[in-house]
Amino acid sequence: MTTNGRTQEPTSFPTLIQIKAVIPTYLFETNLALSLYYVIKDILLMFVLYAALLILESMLPASFMCVIFPVYWYLQGTMLMAVFVLGHDCCHGSFSKYETINDVFGTILHSMVLTPYYPWKISHRNHHKNTGNIDKDEVFYPVRERNDNGNNFAFLFGLGIGWFVYLWRGYHPRNVCHLNPLESMFCNHVTGCTLSIASLIGWVGCLYYYACSVGLWGLLKYYVIPELVFASWLLTVTFLHHIEEETPWYSDDNWNYVKGALSSVDRDYGWAHDVIHNIGTHQIHHLFSRIPHYNLEDATRHFRKNFPELSRYRNDKIFPTLLRLYKKFSSQFRIRNETSFHVYT
């Protein structure tokens, strides 16, 4: 296989209990104070970036700002991705041990990045329950009845726009609208989904009043473009953690939780790896989603030490990897045998 540290698919897998036994129990513990520290830190950094941009904009000629703005968009979009990951911790109960606190902060944080928290929480948990299962997973699975996956989305998933398309209509053929609390997937969570959607509408109202103050161009350059950068980050991360050459997909009759979780791929995001809260340590996150983001690296070290043959990680540069795998994904998947699926050119 091309994945670092592995030569072939294992013929047997340990149980989840056996894997959990090699990870110190303290790494599973949540710390509300520490989680709040990261929330405050990230929001302060976002305000610092915004304030610095306003100062530079008042001091420098427009020709200089043509260089400054792309830097701001990239950095602020990365910070929005960090905020999303903190909300993602809330979704999994790794933000705190209190479900109400998790849902309140998750709703606030995800509204800031135009994501309906509770509906996404339900669909994302479905992804975790079915990772690597071609018949039940949420997104970026090979579509059985079509070879050409590329017809389902624009180049590189619409450079972020694809995230909002997914929220609106799901991923073919398992379609779901995250803005409709009456979807069958959400039937037992109508209240939570409705409150999250109401919070999102409230945030859009705040953006409207902000646009009234700074103008449409101000809204675009200060918020909308960084939001698209965030969405591009999110699509890239989601895609690269579950797609790689020789990475298996399993049909439902040959899938189990451990095999599916171990089909995900760890990746390193360079300077941004810590900024976006170690979400690249994805195998251990899928095995034990209750581990807080600040303990993922340590837990991963214990896992790799004890199960090197199961570790699936890549250190390739992210953008060239995205281009390489997008090309493969948008061409076709071929079935290797009756029960497992691999990406082939």
PDB file of all heavy atoms in Angstrom, residues 314-342:
ATOM      1  N   ARG A 314      -0.441   9.733   6.490  1.00  0.00           N
ATOM      2  CA  ARG A 314       0.270  10.319   5.360  1.00  0.00           C
ATOM      3  C   ARG A 314       0.843  11.674   5.759  1.00  0.00           C
ATOM      4  O   ARG A 314       0.191  12.432   6.470  1.00  0.00           O
ATOM      5  CB  ARG A 314      -0.675  10.510   4.163  1.00  0.00           C
ATOM      6  CG  ARG A 314      -1.306   9.238   3.630  1.00  0.00           C
ATOM      7  CD  ARG A 314      -0.285   8.315   2.995  1.00  0.00           C
ATOM      8  NE  ARG A 314       0.376   8.923   1.883  1.00  0.00           N
ATOM      9  CZ  ARG A 314       0.402   8.427   0.637  1.00  0.00           C
ATOM     10  NH1 ARG A 314      -0.249   7.327   0.368  1.00  0.00           N
ATOM     11  NH2 ARG A 314       1.068   9.039  -0.316  1.00  0.00           N
ATOM     12  N   ASN A 315       2.048  11.933   5.261  1.00  0.00           N
ATOM     13  CA  ASN A 315       2.696  13.221   5.514  1.00  0.00           C
ATOM     14  C   ASN A 315       2.865  14.030   4.233  1.00  0.00           C
ATOM     15  O   ASN A 315       3.648  14.976   4.195  1.00  0.00           O
ATOM     16  CB  ASN A 315       4.065  13.004   6.177  1.00  0.00           C
ATOM     17  CG  ASN A 315       3.940  12.387   7.557  1.00  0.00           C
ATOM     18  OD1 ASN A 315       3.039  12.743   8.315  1.00  0.00           O
ATOM     19  ND2 ASN A 315       4.813  11.442   7.873  1.00  0.00           N
ATOM     20  N   ASP A 316       2.147  13.657   3.175  1.00  0.00           N
ATOM     21  CA  ASP A 316       2.249  14.368   1.900  1.00  0.00           C
ATOM     22  C   ASP A 316       1.766  15.804   2.043  1.00  0.00           C
ATOM     23  O   ASP A 316       0.953  16.120   2.910  1.00  0.00           O
ATOM     24  CB  ASP A 316       1.378  13.688   0.833  1.00  0.00           C
ATOM     25  CG  ASP A 316       1.515  12.178   0.827  1.00  0.00           C
ATOM     26  OD1 ASP A 316       1.533  11.592   1.912  1.00  0.00           O
ATOM     27  OD2 ASP A 316       1.581  11.599  -0.260  1.00  0.00           O
ATOM     28  N   LYS A 317       2.241  16.670   1.164  1.00  0.00           N
ATOM     29  CA  LYS A 317       1.736  18.045   1.122  1.00  0.00           C
ATOM     30  C   LYS A 317       0.260  18.013   0.751  1.00  0.00           C
ATOM     31  O   LYS A 317      -0.166  17.275  -0.138  1.00  0.00           O
ATOM     32  CB  LYS A 317       2.538  18.881   0.137  1.00  0.00           C
ATOM     33  CG  LYS A 317       3.970  19.130   0.595  1.00  0.00           C
ATOM     34  CD  LYS A 317       4.682  20.068  -0.344  1.00  0.00           C
ATOM     35  CE  LYS A 317       6.121  20.320   0.130  1.00  0.00           C
ATOM     36  NZ  LYS A 317       6.165  20.959   1.458  1.00  0.00           N
ATOM     37  N   ILE A 318      -0.522  18.838   1.446  1.00  0.00           N
ATOM     38  CA  ILE A 318      -1.976  18.721   1.381  1.00  0.00           C
ATOM     39  C   ILE A 318      -2.551  19.080   0.014  1.00  0.00           C
ATOM     40  O   ILE A 318      -3.345  18.313  -0.558  1.00  0.00           O
ATOM     41  CB  ILE A 318      -2.621  19.580   2.486  1.00  0.00           C
ATOM     42  CG1 ILE A 318      -2.253  19.023   3.861  1.00  0.00           C
ATOM     43  CG2 ILE A 318      -4.132  19.610   2.326  1.00  0.00           C
ATOM     44  CD1 ILE A 318      -2.670  17.589   4.101  1.00  0.00           C
ATOM     45  N   PHE A 319      -2.177  20.233  -0.548  1.00  0.00           N
ATOM     46  CA  PHE A 319      -2.833  20.646  -1.792  1.00  0.00           C
ATOM     47  C   PHE A 319      -2.516  19.715  -2.960  1.00  0.00           C
ATOM     48  O   PHE A 319      -3.440  19.319  -3.693  1.00  0.00           O
ATOM     49  CB  PHE A 319      -2.476  22.093  -2.139  1.00  0.00           C
ATOM     50  CG  PHE A 319      -3.307  22.652  -3.260  1.00  0.00           C
ATOM     51  CD1 PHE A 319      -4.670  22.835  -3.107  1.00  0.00           C
ATOM     52  CD2 PHE A 319      -2.730  22.970  -4.481  1.00  0.00           C
ATOM     53  CE1 PHE A 319      -5.451  23.325  -4.138  1.00  0.00           C
ATOM     54  CE2 PHE A 319      -3.496  23.464  -5.522  1.00  0.00           C
ATOM     55  CZ  PHE A 319      -4.861  23.644  -5.349  1.00  0.00           C
ATOM     56  N   PRO A 320      -1.242  19.319  -3.184  1.00  0.00           N
ATOM     57  CA  PRO A 320      -1.000  18.340  -4.254  1.00  0.00           C
ATOM     58  C   PRO A 320      -1.743  17.022  -4.025  1.00  0.00           C
ATOM     59  O   PRO A 320      -2.217  16.403  -4.985  1.00  0.00           O
ATOM     60  CB  PRO A 320       0.526  18.136  -4.198  1.00  0.00           C
ATOM     61  CG  PRO A 320       1.059  19.380  -3.580  1.00  0.00           C
ATOM     62  CD  PRO A 320       0.014  19.798  -2.592  1.00  0.00           C
ATOM     63  N   THR A 321      -1.858  16.608  -2.763  1.00  0.00           N
ATOM     64  CA  THR A 321      -2.603  15.383  -2.452  1.00  0.00           C
ATOM     65  C   THR A 321      -4.077  15.544  -2.795  1.00  0.00           C
ATOM     66  O   THR A 321      -4.709  14.639  -3.345  1.00  0.00           O
ATOM     67  CB  THR A 321      -2.445  15.026  -0.962  1.00  0.00           C
ATOM     68  OG1 THR A 321      -1.067  14.829  -0.676  1.00  0.00           O
ATOM     69  CG2 THR A 321      -3.210  13.760  -0.623  1.00  0.00           C
ATOM     70  N   LEU A 322      -4.636  16.710  -2.474  1.00  0.00           N
ATOM     71  CA  LEU A 322      -6.032  16.970  -2.801  1.00  0.00           C
ATOM     72  C   LEU A 322      -6.265  16.882  -4.301  1.00  0.00           C
ATOM     73  O   LEU A 322      -7.231  16.256  -4.757  1.00  0.00           O
ATOM     74  CB  LEU A 322      -6.432  18.352  -2.281  1.00  0.00           C
ATOM     75  CG  LEU A 322      -7.846  18.830  -2.632  1.00  0.00           C
ATOM     76  CD1 LEU A 322      -8.894  17.911  -2.013  1.00  0.00           C
ATOM     77  CD2 LEU A 322      -8.055  20.265  -2.163  1.00  0.00           C
ATOM     78  N   LEU A 323      -5.384  17.490  -5.086  1.00  0.00           N
ATOM     79  CA  LEU A 323      -5.526  17.437  -6.543  1.00  0.00           C
ATOM     80  C   LEU A 323      -5.412  16.003  -7.058  1.00  0.00           C
ATOM     81  O   LEU A 323      -6.193  15.571  -7.914  1.00  0.00           O
ATOM     82  CB  LEU A 323      -4.468  18.320  -7.202  1.00  0.00           C
ATOM     83  CG  LEU A 323      -4.599  19.826  -6.983  1.00  0.00           C
ATOM     84  CD1 LEU A 323      -3.419  20.547  -7.636  1.00  0.00           C
ATOM     85  CD2 LEU A 323      -5.913  20.354  -7.548  1.00  0.00           C
ATOM     86  N   ARG A 324      -4.433  15.260  -6.525  1.00  0.00           N
ATOM     87  CA  ARG A 324      -4.226  13.879  -6.973  1.00  0.00           C
ATOM     88  C   ARG A 324      -5.448  13.011  -6.687  1.00  0.00           C
ATOM     89  O   ARG A 324      -5.934  12.279  -7.567  1.00  0.00           O
ATOM     90  CB  ARG A 324      -2.989  13.306  -6.266  1.00  0.00           C
ATOM     91  CG  ARG A 324      -2.788  11.810  -6.457  1.00  0.00           C
ATOM     92  CD  ARG A 324      -1.488  11.337  -5.833  1.00  0.00           C
ATOM     93  NE  ARG A 324      -1.428  11.539  -4.399  1.00  0.00           N
ATOM     94  CZ  ARG A 324      -1.913  10.686  -3.501  1.00  0.00           C
ATOM     95  NH1 ARG A 324      -2.532   9.578  -3.893  1.00  0.00           N
ATOM     96  NH2 ARG A 324      -1.788  10.925  -2.202  1.00  0.00           N
ATOM     97  N   LEU A 325      -5.961  13.104  -5.466  1.00  0.00           N
ATOM     98  CA  LEU A 325      -7.071  12.235  -5.083  1.00  0.00           C
ATOM     99  C   LEU A 325      -8.396  12.700  -5.667  1.00  0.00           C
ATOM    100  O   LEU A 325      -9.282  11.887  -5.948  1.00  0.00           O
ATOM    101  CB  LEU A 325      -7.154  12.133  -3.562  1.00  0.00           C
ATOM    102  CG  LEU A 325      -5.965  11.408  -2.919  1.00  0.00           C
ATOM    103  CD1 LEU A 325      -6.071  11.432  -1.401  1.00  0.00           C
ATOM    104  CD2 LEU A 325      -5.862   9.967  -3.417  1.00  0.00           C
ATOM    105  N   TYR A 326      -8.543  14.011  -5.845  1.00  0.00           N
ATOM    106  CA  TYR A 326      -9.766  14.495  -6.496  1.00  0.00           C
ATOM    107  C   TYR A 326      -9.864  13.938  -7.907  1.00  0.00           C
ATOM    108  O   TYR A 326     -10.939  13.514  -8.353  1.00  0.00           O
ATOM    109  CB  TYR A 326      -9.791  16.018  -6.519  1.00  0.00           C
ATOM    110  CG  TYR A 326     -11.007  16.556  -7.239  1.00  0.00           C
ATOM    111  CD1 TYR A 326     -12.205  16.764  -6.566  1.00  0.00           C
ATOM    112  CD2 TYR A 326     -10.968  16.823  -8.611  1.00  0.00           C
ATOM    113  CE1 TYR A 326     -13.331  17.228  -7.232  1.00  0.00           C
ATOM    114  CE2 TYR A 326     -12.086  17.281  -9.277  1.00  0.00           C
ATOM    115  CZ  TYR A 326     -13.266  17.481  -8.587  1.00  0.00           C
ATOM    116  OH  TYR A 326     -14.372  17.924  -9.253  1.00  0.00           O
ATOM    117  N   LYS A 327      -8.718  13.930  -8.597  1.00  0.00           N
ATOM    118  CA  LYS A 327      -8.714  13.408  -9.968  1.00  0.00           C
ATOM    119  C   LYS A 327      -9.137  11.950  -9.995  1.00  0.00           C
ATOM    120  O   LYS A 327      -9.936  11.527 -10.835  1.00  0.00           O
ATOM    121  CB  LYS A 327      -7.314  13.563 -10.578  1.00  0.00           C
ATOM    122  CG  LYS A 327      -7.218  13.079 -12.019  1.00  0.00           C
ATOM    123  CD  LYS A 327      -5.804  13.283 -12.564  1.00  0.00           C
ATOM    124  CE  LYS A 327      -5.714  12.759 -13.999  1.00  0.00           C
ATOM    125  NZ  LYS A 327      -4.344  12.935 -14.547  1.00  0.00           N
ATOM    126  N   LYS A 328      -8.629  11.169  -9.027  1.00  0.00           N
ATOM    127  CA  LYS A 328      -8.997   9.763  -8.968  1.00  0.00           C
ATOM    128  C   LYS A 328     -10.469   9.598  -8.585  1.00  0.00           C
ATOM    129  O   LYS A 328     -11.194   8.799  -9.176  1.00  0.00           O
ATOM    130  CB  LYS A 328      -8.109   9.035  -7.949  1.00  0.00           C
ATOM    131  CG  LYS A 328      -6.652   8.922  -8.360  1.00  0.00           C
ATOM    132  CD  LYS A 328      -5.839   8.249  -7.282  1.00  0.00           C
ATOM    133  CE  LYS A 328      -4.365   8.186  -7.691  1.00  0.00           C
ATOM    134  NZ  LYS A 328      -4.173   7.289  -8.851  1.00  0.00           N
ATOM    135  N   PHE A 329     -10.900  10.369  -7.590  1.00  0.00           N
ATOM    136  CA  PHE A 329     -12.258  10.231  -7.097  1.00  0.00           C
ATOM    137  C   PHE A 329     -13.278  10.611  -8.158  1.00  0.00           C
ATOM    138  O   PHE A 329     -14.340   9.993  -8.262  1.00  0.00           O
ATOM    139  CB  PHE A 329     -12.448  11.107  -5.863  1.00  0.00           C
ATOM    140  CG  PHE A 329     -13.776  10.935  -5.186  1.00  0.00           C
ATOM    141  CD1 PHE A 329     -14.004   9.877  -4.334  1.00  0.00           C
ATOM    142  CD2 PHE A 329     -14.809  11.837  -5.404  1.00  0.00           C
ATOM    143  CE1 PHE A 329     -15.230   9.710  -3.704  1.00  0.00           C
ATOM    144  CE2 PHE A 329     -16.034  11.688  -4.782  1.00  0.00           C
ATOM    145  CZ  PHE A 329     -16.242  10.619  -3.930  1.00  0.00           C
ATOM    146  N   SER A 330     -12.973  11.625  -8.935  1.00  0.00           N
ATOM    147  CA  SER A 330     -13.941  12.107  -9.917  1.00  0.00           C
ATOM    148  C   SER A 330     -13.881  11.323 -11.222  1.00  0.00           C
ATOM    149  O   SER A 330     -14.627  11.608 -12.147  1.00  0.00           O
ATOM    150  CB  SER A 330     -13.717  13.598 -10.199  1.00  0.00           C
ATOM    151  OG  SER A 330     -12.415  13.811 -10.712  1.00  0.00           O
ATOM    152  N   SER A 331     -12.998  10.316 -11.285  1.00  0.00           N
ATOM    153  CA  SER A 331     -12.988   9.472 -12.475  1.00  0.00           C
ATOM    154  C   SER A 331     -13.843   8.238 -12.235  1.00  0.00           C
ATOM    155  O   SER A 331     -14.980   8.154 -12.672  1.00  0.00           O
ATOM    156  CB  SER A 331     -11.554   9.102 -12.857  1.00  0.00           C
ATOM    157  OG  SER A 331     -10.896   8.446 -11.789  1.00  0.00           O
ATOM    158  N   GLN A 332     -13.331   7.285 -11.453  1.00  0.00           N
ATOM    159  CA  GLN A 332     -14.178   6.122 -11.155  1.00  0.00           C
ATOM    160  C   GLN A 332     -13.580   5.294 -10.034  1.00  0.00           C
ATOM    161  O   GLN A 332     -12.400   5.340  -9.746  1.00  0.00           O
ATOM    162  CB  GLN A 332     -14.389   5.242 -12.382  1.00  0.00           C
ATOM    163  CG  GLN A 332     -13.130   4.547 -12.879  1.00  0.00           C
ATOM    164  CD  GLN A 332     -13.456   3.656 -14.075  1.00  0.00           C
ATOM    165  OE1 GLN A 332     -14.500   3.773 -14.693  1.00  0.00           O
ATOM    166  NE2 GLN A 332     -12.557   2.760 -14.377  1.00  0.00           N
ATOM    167  N   PHE A 333     -14.460   4.532  -9.349  1.00  0.00           N
ATOM    168  CA  PHE A 333     -14.070   3.523  -8.382  1.00  0.00           C
ATOM    169  C   PHE A 333     -14.315   2.160  -9.030  1.00  0.00           C
ATOM    170  O   PHE A 333     -15.288   1.988  -9.739  1.00  0.00           O
ATOM    171  CB  PHE A 333     -14.936   3.606  -7.119  1.00  0.00           C
ATOM    172  CG  PHE A 333     -14.624   4.777  -6.252  1.00  0.00           C
ATOM    173  CD1 PHE A 333     -15.164   6.011  -6.533  1.00  0.00           C
ATOM    174  CD2 PHE A 333     -13.804   4.636  -5.156  1.00  0.00           C
ATOM    175  CE1 PHE A 333     -14.895   7.103  -5.733  1.00  0.00           C
ATOM    176  CE2 PHE A 333     -13.533   5.718  -4.336  1.00  0.00           C
ATOM    177  CZ  PHE A 333     -14.082   6.953  -4.634  1.00  0.00           C
ATOM    178  N   ARG A 334     -13.431   1.220  -8.741  1.00  0.00           N
ATOM    179  CA  ARG A 334     -13.648  -0.135  -9.228  1.00  0.00           C
ATOM    180  C   ARG A 334     -13.718  -1.096  -8.049  1.00  0.00           C
ATOM    181  O   ARG A 334     -12.963  -0.986  -7.094  1.00  0.00           O
ATOM    182  CB  ARG A 334     -12.521  -0.562 -10.175  1.00  0.00           C
ATOM    183  CG  ARG A 334     -12.430   0.319 -11.426  1.00  0.00           C
ATOM    184  CD  ARG A 334     -11.629  -0.383 -12.507  1.00  0.00           C
ATOM    185  NE  ARG A 334     -11.458   0.507 -13.652  1.00  0.00           N
ATOM    186  CZ  ARG A 334     -10.304   1.078 -13.973  1.00  0.00           C
ATOM    187  NH1 ARG A 334      -9.239   0.876 -13.248  1.00  0.00           N
ATOM    188  NH2 ARG A 334     -10.223   1.855 -15.037  1.00  0.00           N
ATOM    189  N   ILE A 335     -14.604  -2.036  -8.128  1.00  0.00           N
ATOM    190  CA  ILE A 335     -14.777  -3.019  -7.067  1.00  0.00           C
ATOM    191  C   ILE A 335     -13.651  -4.052  -7.160  1.00  0.00           C
ATOM    192  O   ILE A 335     -13.481  -4.697  -8.182  1.00  0.00           O
ATOM    193  CB  ILE A 335     -16.134  -3.724  -7.187  1.00  0.00           C
ATOM    194  CG1 ILE A 335     -17.260  -2.702  -7.103  1.00  0.00           C
ATOM    195  CG2 ILE A 335     -16.294  -4.800  -6.120  1.00  0.00           C
ATOM    196  CD1 ILE A 335     -18.623  -3.285  -7.326  1.00  0.00           C
ATOM    197  N   ARG A 336     -12.880  -4.198  -6.058  1.00  0.00           N
ATOM    198  CA  ARG A 336     -11.797  -5.185  -6.055  1.00  0.00           C
ATOM    199  C   ARG A 336     -12.337  -6.591  -5.818  1.00  0.00           C
ATOM    200  O   ARG A 336     -11.874  -7.560  -6.381  1.00  0.00           O
ATOM    201  CB  ARG A 336     -10.757  -4.835  -4.989  1.00  0.00           C
ATOM    202  CG  ARG A 336      -9.475  -5.649  -5.158  1.00  0.00           C
ATOM    203  CD  ARG A 336      -8.412  -5.245  -4.160  1.00  0.00           C
ATOM    204  NE  ARG A 336      -8.696  -5.799  -2.830  1.00  0.00           N
ATOM    205  CZ  ARG A 336      -7.826  -5.767  -1.835  1.00  0.00           C
ATOM    206  NH1 ARG A 336      -6.658  -5.178  -1.994  1.00  0.00           N
ATOM    207  NH2 ARG A 336      -8.132  -6.271  -0.658  1.00  0.00           N
ATOM    208  N   ASN A 337     -13.289  -6.709  -4.923  1.00  0.00           N
ATOM    209  CA  ASN A 337     -13.947  -7.998  -4.711  1.00  0.00           C
ATOM    210  C   ASN A 337     -15.358  -7.731  -4.235  1.00  0.00           C
ATOM    211  O   ASN A 337     -15.826  -6.604  -4.297  1.00  0.00           O
ATOM    212  CB  ASN A 337     -13.164  -8.874  -3.722  1.00  0.00           C
ATOM    213  CG  ASN A 337     -12.924  -8.148  -2.406  1.00  0.00           C
ATOM    214  OD1 ASN A 337     -13.856  -7.604  -1.833  1.00  0.00           O
ATOM    215  ND2 ASN A 337     -11.682  -8.143  -1.942  1.00  0.00           N
ATOM    216  N   GLU A 338     -16.047  -8.733  -3.755  1.00  0.00           N
ATOM    217  CA  GLU A 338     -17.449  -8.572  -3.430  1.00  0.00           C
ATOM    218  C   GLU A 338     -17.694  -7.680  -2.227  1.00  0.00           C
ATOM    219  O   GLU A 338     -18.773  -7.130  -2.077  1.00  0.00           O
ATOM    220  CB  GLU A 338     -18.087  -9.940  -3.178  1.00  0.00           C
ATOM    221  CG  GLU A 338     -18.181 -10.797  -4.431  1.00  0.00           C
ATOM    222  CD  GLU A 338     -18.851 -12.118  -4.138  1.00  0.00           C
ATOM    223  OE1 GLU A 338     -19.139 -12.376  -2.959  1.00  0.00           O
ATOM    224  OE2 GLU A 338     -19.101 -12.880  -5.080  1.00  0.00           O
ATOM    225  N   THR A 339     -16.712  -7.555  -1.338  1.00  0.00           N
ATOM    226  CA  THR A 339     -17.016  -6.936  -0.059  1.00  0.00           C
ATOM    227  C   THR A 339     -16.179  -5.724   0.295  1.00  0.00           C
ATOM    228  O   THR A 339     -16.520  -5.008   1.217  1.00  0.00           O
ATOM    229  CB  THR A 339     -16.843  -7.970   1.072  1.00  0.00           C
ATOM    230  OG1 THR A 339     -15.524  -8.542   0.995  1.00  0.00           O
ATOM    231  CG2 THR A 339     -17.873  -9.074   0.956  1.00  0.00           C
ATOM    232  N   SER A 340     -15.063  -5.478  -0.327  1.00  0.00           N
ATOM    233  CA  SER A 340     -14.284  -4.299   0.021  1.00  0.00           C
ATOM    234  C   SER A 340     -14.024  -3.467  -1.213  1.00  0.00           C
ATOM    235  O   SER A 340     -13.904  -3.978  -2.314  1.00  0.00           O
ATOM    236  CB  SER A 340     -12.953  -4.676   0.696  1.00  0.00           C
ATOM    237  OG  SER A 340     -12.133  -5.402  -0.182  1.00  0.00           O
ATOM    238  N   PHE A 341     -13.922  -2.149  -1.025  1.00  0.00           N
ATOM    239  CA  PHE A 341     -13.819  -1.223  -2.134  1.00  0.00           C
ATOM    240  C   PHE A 341     -12.574  -0.374  -1.967  1.00  0.00           C
ATOM    241  O   PHE A 341     -12.272   0.113  -0.901  1.00  0.00           O
ATOM    242  CB  PHE A 341     -15.063  -0.331  -2.176  1.00  0.00           C
ATOM    243  CG  PHE A 341     -16.316  -1.099  -2.414  1.00  0.00           C
ATOM    244  CD1 PHE A 341     -16.916  -1.803  -1.395  1.00  0.00           C
ATOM    245  CD2 PHE A 341     -16.884  -1.148  -3.663  1.00  0.00           C
ATOM    246  CE1 PHE A 341     -18.074  -2.527  -1.604  1.00  0.00           C
ATOM    247  CE2 PHE A 341     -18.047  -1.874  -3.891  1.00  0.00           C
ATOM    248  CZ  PHE A 341     -18.639  -2.562  -2.860  1.00  0.00           C
ATOM    249  N   HIS A 342     -11.825  -0.182  -3.071  1.00  0.00           N
ATOM    250  CA  HIS A 342     -10.604   0.581  -3.040  1.00  0.00           C
ATOM    251  C   HIS A 342     -10.612   1.591  -4.188  1.00  0.00           C
ATOM    252  O   HIS A 342     -11.266   1.384  -5.195  1.00  0.00           O
ATOM    253  CB  HIS A 342      -9.368  -0.327  -3.168  1.00  0.00           C
ATOM    254  CG  HIS A 342      -9.209  -1.255  -2.009  1.00  0.00           C
ATOM    255  ND1 HIS A 342      -8.193  -1.117  -1.085  1.00  0.00           N
ATOM    256  CD2 HIS A 342      -9.931  -2.323  -1.612  1.00  0.00           C
ATOM    257  CE1 HIS A 342      -8.291  -2.064  -0.184  1.00  0.00           C
ATOM    258  NE2 HIS A 342      -9.348  -2.809  -0.480  1.00  0.00           N
TER     259      HIS A 342
END
